[in-house]
Amino acid sequence: MNRFMTDRQKKIFDPTEGNISKAAEILRRGGLVAFPTETVYGLGANALDERAVGKIFEAKGRPGDNPLILHVSCADEASLYAEVTPQALELMKRFWPGPLTIVLCAADVVPLAARGGLDTVALRAPANPAALSLIRKCGFPLAGPSANKSGRPSPTRAIDVLNDIGDSVDMILDGGETGIGVESTVADATEPRLAILRPGAVTREMLAEIAEAGPCSPDKARRSPGTRYRHYAPSVELRLWEDSSQGVFDGESAWCYMGMRKPPKGALRTTIFATPEEYAHGLFSAMRELERCGAKLIIADFPDMPGLGEAIRNRLSRAAGRQ
Ligand code: TXA
Ligand code: MG
């Protein structure tokens, strides 16, 4: 820590054992701690403490009917907070810790505030050593939405958390840049056929090894709170470059670009990703950087590919205001 740091910057700490213990203490007292996961940064609070959960909604400016994910360290812990079916247990054994959130029937101990008033609860064990160590030290589940202001791109670096909600958070554990870069897959497992509410790095093809899985029905989508809100949006317009789309670049001057294909000349700034993994990893930080480069428009390549491509397309189309 150097003496030129602002008070807000002084909230960022390396995830040493000592600092993780301090973070657990803050959470025990009802505070907010942002923590790294393998997907994006989470904004943690004691999920069993209604007041602490309320602070999350306030800090993010998040609608109260949009439920939170409970972060646990293992399947045994999950069974304290939800009805873990044999199928859900199989999913946990195969994909946890990892980027899969499973929606199940909730146990009564989970406050309604954390589950947006629903009778279901979303659970996930993150594959990040600092996050797992924090959850174990706490001894309670961590409610953890992405640590951004509601509607903004998710944070993949500690500095993004600081920029969005630095004033509301008590501490930020800095685990460096997150690996995957897009949020976990959310799968509703309350029925035998898995309904994918949000695509992520655990792809539909991977889930199909265990159970039939597909996009959720329009009816379920209507009832699924997270799908109702505009999301992931930078502060300038984002426009999609689809395979078929002609003329997205025509007549534009102050534009910048991100994607896997090479764009025509003329961008103020260009960010090229070599693989879908790189695109997912850099998607949100590129949005945050490009919105600061003075452009009026971000044009984003919209890759038509299965697997991780589905997650990339989902985030881009929502950032572009579709759905
Ligand atoms: O990767 C991630 O999942 C990150 C890291 C921090 O773990 N977290 C995250 O949380 O993205 P959040 O709150 O930004 O997104 C959770 C999504 C929301 O779309 C929410 O509506 C949905 O999960 N969700 C949570 N509980 C649900 C439930 N009981 N039924 C249906 N959807 C639910
Ligand atoms: Mg989010």
Side-chain angles (χ1 to χ4, degrees), residues 177-197:
E177 239 183 286
T178 60
I180 294 173
V182 289
E183 308 84 345
S184 62
T185 305
V186 179
D188 183 325
T190 55
E191 284 163 25
R193 178 185 178 277
L194 299 175
I196 301 176
L197 302 178

Side-chain angles (χ1 to χ4, degrees), residues 32-35 41-45 55-56 59-60 143-148 165 169:
L32 297 183
V33 173
F35 61 97
Y41 276 76
L43 176 59
K55 287 186 190 172
I56 287 185
K60 282 182 60 83
S146 49
N148 49 283
I165 53 166
V169 72

Side-chain angles (χ1 to χ4, degrees), residues 145-165:
S146 49
N148 49 283
K149 275 273 183 207
S150 214
R152 294 270 301 141
S154 291
T156 54
R157 302 166 298 196
I159 190 72
D160 300 335
V161 179
L162 191 78
N163 287 338
D164 265 23
I165 53 166

Side-chain angles (χ1 to χ4, degrees), residues 122-141:
L123 291 157
R124 123 170 165 90
N128 177 289
L132 286 174
S133 162
L134 180 63
I135 296 164
R136 289 198 189 103
K137 276 185 204 281
C138 285
F140 46 76

Side-chain angles (χ1 to χ4, degrees), residues 184-218:
S184 62
T185 305
V186 179
D188 183 325
T190 55
E191 284 163 25
R193 178 185 178 277
L194 299 175
I196 301 176
L197 302 178
R198 180 175 72 186
V202 171
T203 61
R204 183 205 298 239
E205 294 83 354
M206 290 159 78
L207 288 171
E209 291 169 25
I210 293 189
E212 196 195 330
C216 65
S217 63

Side-chain angles (χ1 to χ4, degrees), residues 34-42 128 146-148 152-164 172-183 232 273 277-289 292 315:
F35 61 97
T37 80
E38 79 281 34
T39 56
V40 301
Y41 276 76
N128 177 289
S146 49
N148 49 283
R152 294 270 301 141
S154 291
T156 54
R157 302 166 298 196
I159 190 72
D160 300 335
V161 179
L162 191 78
N163 287 338
D164 265 23
I172 300 170
L173 289 172
D174 185 354
E177 239 183 286
T178 60
I180 294 173
V182 289
E183 308 84 345
Y232 318 119
F273 303 109
E277 286 72 22
E278 265 188 32
Y279 200 170
H281 170 81
L283 183 71
F284 289 132
S285 54
M287 278 186 202
R288 284 176 182 268
E289 258 137 47
R292 282 197 296 264
R315 305 313 187 270

